[in-house]
Amino acid sequence: MRPDGRGELDSLYFDYPHFAPPERPAQEARAPVVIVGAGPVGMVAALTLARHGVRSVVLEQKETFNDGSRAICVSRSSYHILERLGAVGPFLKKALGWTRGRSFYRGQQILEFDMPDGPEQKYRPMYNLQQQYIEAFLFEAVAASDLIEVRWQSEVTELRDLVEGVALTVRDPNGSYVIETDWLLAADGARSAIRRMRGLRLKGENYEGRYVIADVRMVHDYPTIRRALFDPACRPGGTVLIHRQPDDIWRIDYQLAEGEDATEAASEASVRSSVAAVLEEIGHAGDWDLEWWSVYSANTLLLDDYRDGRIFFIGDSAHIVPIFGVRGLNNGIADGFNIGWKLAWVLTRRAGAGLLDSYSHERRGATLDVFANATKSTRFMTPPSHGWRLTRDAALSLALTRPSAGQLANPRQMTPYTYADSPATLRDSAGMTAGPVPGAMLAEVALGEGFLSDRLWEGFTLLVFGESGDLPERADLTVVQLPATGAVAQAYGAGEGTGYLIRPDLHVAVRWPVVSAEKVDATLDTLLARKGGRA
């Protein structure tokens, strides 16, 4: 919502483009992949497919990007993905990196935490950037690709299964048509039309806590950190979150009180009054302007399976996670990257169809891990019962005099999920006692020039420590030789002859105390040509 007198897309800081409906070809060619939804997750999937040589058509019902700040926190692991897709440049120029958070209880600071960071890391733990910019920067990369076609103002109205694919009926301002595809990626959000057409339902838990998101423009000199206010004078009994964003935009999330009418709370007068009280609480006496606002509630919901035949669900179409801990967008970006490289390798015959069986296993596991952590944060931020509130407030009161108790207010920021028991990773080798385990994301290390991640190829990469003459020569693999001593070897628990096989999504597939060409060949054949998978 926007203030009276301003249009739906009349922003104080962002110029929304208008995308015309597509000029369709006279004869509709079958597409290898159709992606429904041109939000961040859908565009990441399209860019990943293109990076591996696969064409896609992206269908988007709207005529421009999403409005409001919505998802704003982009994690370090997502920046690594954006780099692999050739899209990270504008993000680095515009976004605000941060490492620190502070929590306050009744006006007194009870916690200051720092997320892991240091010179060995290429990117900061977290960056703040409004979703409009996230989508605009991704679309720049999409528009530059000859392998991606985006069709705006294009609504999917019907689905039909084919023997080896899906037929979609699409309606745009010029009429309706049918497009066939080998594979369909549903990235059409929390209210997914594709999910509804398939008769699928998200399952899980709904929380009672409701929040108002308000974007405010003001000149305010507080640093770029995450602020959480518990039981502040401006919202007695509630919680307020504050994030700085580019262009002097500040994101303020404040909890509605039990029994507070959401419709009334979402009125412009009420939002302005509530925001003014928050700004007074944090000591801002200067001018400010209201940009945009919305109301949301916290949920932990997901599908039983992220695959339905030739359809894969990614992002919010597959799962809804609470915002606490900034996991929603980052979880979705990882979805799009995960299915993107796997589907591309199957379509280009570098892998068998069995590789696709690992997608739902890995990404649903990641969502459940998010739920386990986000539930703790959500119950702390929005206690679901009187008993939970008493417990939370007792912990906060204790933190006033005992700093260690303040750790209970730590939002547990996201770390990449480890695919420990995935079909696309192998059991760990005996004798490895340090370093990233199979399924974990690559451990970044600073080199003399650049970083370890700079040395990785877009396909599989074999890290070999020390000298070894017994190395495989394959088109789907690049070999990077590293010293058996020094910072990288120490980070990986490596010695002479140690090998790590890194997947295209930067996760460890397997590691060996001593690597050989025979071991690598057998492993890749197992991972990429697994029999018995669903076609």
Side-chain angles (χ1 to χ4, degrees), residues 71-203:
I72 63 168
C73 296
V74 188
S75 69
R76 172 184 289 145
S77 58
S78 292
Y79 263 62
H80 278 288
I81 292 173
L82 294 170
E83 180 185 30
R84 308 305 289 180
L85 300 179
V88 77
F91 285 84
L92 287 170
K93 291 179 181 178
K94 188 70 175 180
L96 303 178
W98 59 281
T99 64
R100 179 168 296 170
R102 293 173 183 160
S103 296
F104 300 81
Y105 178 54
R106 295 179 179 174
Q108 181 174 330
Q109 183 171 312
I110 59 169
L111 171 69
E112 181 168 304
F113 67 87
D114 286 288
M115 292 180 285
D117 196 28
E120 74 283 357
Q121 295 294 340
K122 188 171 188 178
Y123 299 115
R124 303 288 64 77
M126 205 68 63
Y127 294 83
N128 283 357
L129 184 66
Q130 297 95 316
Q131 185 163 328
Q132 301 100 311
Y133 287 119
I134 294 171
E135 296 187 14
F137 295 158
L138 285 170
F139 186 68
E140 286 181 19
V142 164
S145 174
D146 294 334
L147 293 175
I148 306 173
E149 178 189 358
V150 181
R151 301 182 182 182
W152 299 89
Q153 302 187 48
S154 299
E155 178 188 6
V156 178
T157 59
E158 186 179 348
L159 293 177
R160 179 167 52 87
D161 286 325
L162 304 174
V163 174
E164 292 186 347
V166 181
L168 300 86
T169 301
V170 184
R171 180 174 60 212
D172 65 23
N174 298 315
S176 293
Y177 63 97
V178 174
I179 181 171
E180 295 184 356
T181 182
D182 298 333
W183 300 93
L184 172 61
L185 301 184
D188 52 342
R191 296 182 177 86
S192 171
I194 304 301
R195 189 180 64 228
R196 174 177 48 79
M197 291 177 195
R198 303 299 286 192
L200 301 174
R201 292 179 58 251
L202 298 174
K203 300 177 183 178

Side-chain angles (χ1 to χ4, degrees), residues 399-467:
L400 294 173
T401 56
R402 186 174 298 178
S404 60
Q407 290 296 328
L408 294 169
N410 192 319
R412 302 173 178 88
Q413 301 296 342
M414 191 187 85
T415 56
Y417 180 64
T418 296
Y419 306 134
D421 58 347
S422 166
T425 61
L426 270 65
R427 183 179 300 177
D428 201 6
S429 302
M432 297 296 298
T433 59
V437 300
M441 192 170 181
L442 175 88
E444 183 68 288
V445 183
L447 305 177
E449 293 185 6
F451 295 84
L452 178 61
S453 61
D454 299 335
R455 307 281 299 276
L456 269 63
W457 183 53
E458 291 175 353
F460 280 81
T461 300
L462 178 65
L463 304 180
V464 179
F465 293 84
E467 298 297 326

Side-chain angles (χ1 to χ4, degrees), residues 307-387:
R307 180 179 182 181
D308 181 24
R310 289 262 170 165
I311 302 173
F312 291 94
F313 293 87
I314 59 178
D316 286 352
S317 73
H319 48 72
I320 307 295
V321 306
I323 67 160
F324 312 118
V326 294
R327 299 169 175 90
L329 172 66
N330 297 294
N331 204 39
I333 287 174
D335 289 350
F337 197 49
N338 187 294
I339 189 58
W341 80 263
K342 292 174 180 176
L343 196 53
W345 278 54
V346 170
L347 282 165
T348 54
R349 302 187 184 280
R350 287 175 284 179
L355 178 63
L356 301 176
D357 293 342
S358 65
Y359 168 69
S360 188
H361 187 287
E362 291 184 350
R363 296 310 306 159
R364 195 172 186 277
T367 304
L368 291 172
D369 182 66
V370 166
F371 284 3
N373 288 288
T375 296
K376 298 173 186 176
S377 299
T378 302
R379 285 174 175 165
F380 200 88
M381 303 297 252
T382 59
S385 67
H386 179 66

